[in-house]
Amino acid sequence: MRSALELFTRQGYERTTVDEIADAVDVSQRTFFRYFGNKEEVAFATQESAERHFFAALCGRPADEAPLTALRHAVLDAWGATGDAIEQMVPPELHMRMYRLIESTPSLLAVHLRRTAELEERLAREIARREGLDIDTDPRPRLVVAMFGGVIRVAGKLWVEGQDDSTVTLRDITAFHLDYVGPALAEQWDK
Amino acid sequence: MRSALELFTRQGYERTTVDEIADAVDVSQRTFFRYFGNKEEVAFATQESAERHFFAALCGRPADEAPLTALRHAVLDAWGATGDAIEQMVPPELHMRMYRLIESTPSLLAVHLRRTAELEERLAREIARREGLDIDTDPRPRLVVAMFGGVIRVAGKLWVEGQDDSTVTLRDITAFHLDYVGPALAEQWDK
DNA sequence: TGTCATTTGTCAGACGCTGACATTAGCCTC
DNA sequence: GAGGCTAATGTCAGCGTCTGACAAATGACA
């Protein structure tokens, strides 16, 4: 995994073949495909970890917190503590470089957005559970998550476009944008 | 294109090979790839048309309309008049079946979401232009579009999950969800 | 009719990915 | 330590997407 991410970030995703990755760690191509379902999967290994952290953080928030507040805390928590699970696999700086690469590689961006959509579905179900709502009849859980997700995406995109690639900056940009729309979203929730 | 969509909707996207599509219209596989950059492209030909319509509709809205109002009119307009450009290429019913297939095929969904993100970027720039804002310093154009896009996605998803596959139903679901969050979003805009 | 540009076909090959089968490695038991 | 079991790995063949290079065909026009 570390070898793959290093190759990806050094020479680009498309220009890195599975054979190269496999050769770098002296295994056959077939073995690579036994551990990763496809080439994309290895590219999202650290994202996967961060997302799990995010979801777990949401589930750990106190039950009396409003949905948006809980989401906000969870995402800032997950991105602040990027190190936790990821550091053991790859250097955090590699994780960040990979995030940039994902945002700037069309095929990876597509997969990233789909993964995000799946995560949002799980988030919406968790919000519904917290609030005791039926997700099939009440649109609010999905709506609040969808809009929240939109804000996160905008923040991430701005970060990628910018120069400063520290984790802290990403956190700050995210917090700023959430503050911007938070009140309106919270209001709409109570309607 | 029509042959491709018919094959896709009949036997699934993955289970349809490019050779099959090419054979169906008696051309070589190489010729197919000269007209479509890849297999996905042909699957999104009608979506492309609908999106262009949507964007054009937004550009045609009166300048004094609030951003969200303009977006709302544009999307309902584009989805109501699906026939316009599409009917000349494929039957509208095929377009709708294809939309369902996209939402339910992971690889296509991924591309769909990326295309949507690209469209949203253009929408945000148009909103910024209308309002005389600088998109690089004012986050509001991107935020309002991102949240608007989230609502559209939720509506589309619910439609796909449901049984009624008429265009009208999709329009109604979309309108309903927009009404739900519209006021709050409008309020946040003026803040 | 000959010339030229555009379109199409053919061929070979890279790359991602999979199934089938052989080989090896590690480990437990006797 | 020999035998045998299981899990991991390698090898091989093949499908499908996609690309570059070159040849053949097509059509328009002088």
Side-chain angles (χ1 to χ4, degrees), chain B residues 28 30-31 34-35:
Chain B
S28 69
R30 195 65 183 84
T31 298
R34 273 194 261 259
Y35 286 85

Side-chain angles (χ1 to χ4, degrees), chain B residues 53 73-84 87 96 167-168 171:
Chain B
H53 191 118
H73 279 127
V75 73
L76 294 182
D77 180 13
W79 284 4
T82 325
D84 281 26
E87 254 176 43
M96 286 294 132
T167 315
V168 184
R171 233 187 86 109

Side-chain angles (χ1 to χ4, degrees), chain B residues 163-184:
Chain B
Q163 291 78 23
D164 193 345
D165 53 338
S166 68
T167 315
V168 184
T169 310
L170 175 55
R171 233 187 86 109
D172 289 349
I173 295 176
T174 306
F176 170 78
H177 282 78
L178 282 178
D179 288 342
Y180 207 101
V181 295

Side-chain angles (χ1 to χ4, degrees), chain B residues 89-164:
Chain B
M89 301 188 288
V90 302
E93 162 257 351
L94 186 53
H95 169 68
M96 286 294 132
R97 279 216 311 260
M98 198 57 213
Y99 183 68
R100 274 189 135 88
L101 186 64
I102 289 171
E103 284 276 345
S104 60
T105 305
S107 60
L108 288 183
L109 177 57
V111 174
H112 176 58
L113 292 172
R114 177 170 52 77
R115 292 173 52 87
T116 301
E118 283 159 11
L119 175 61
E120 283 178 16
E121 176 66 21
R122 288 194 292 143
L123 293 174
R125 290 183 186 278
E126 171 62 15
I127 294 290
R129 196 196 58 75
R130 288 167 58 96
E131 303 288 314
L133 301 173
D134 178 13
I135 197 162
D136 294 319
T137 56
D138 196 323
R140 289 180 297 169
R142 282 208 178 95
L143 286 177
V144 76
V145 169
M147 294 187 294
F148 175 84
V151 176
I152 298 292
R153 269 230 74 232
V154 170
K157 205 173 151 186
L158 283 177
W159 178 76
V160 168
E161 282 172 1
Q163 291 78 23
D164 193 345

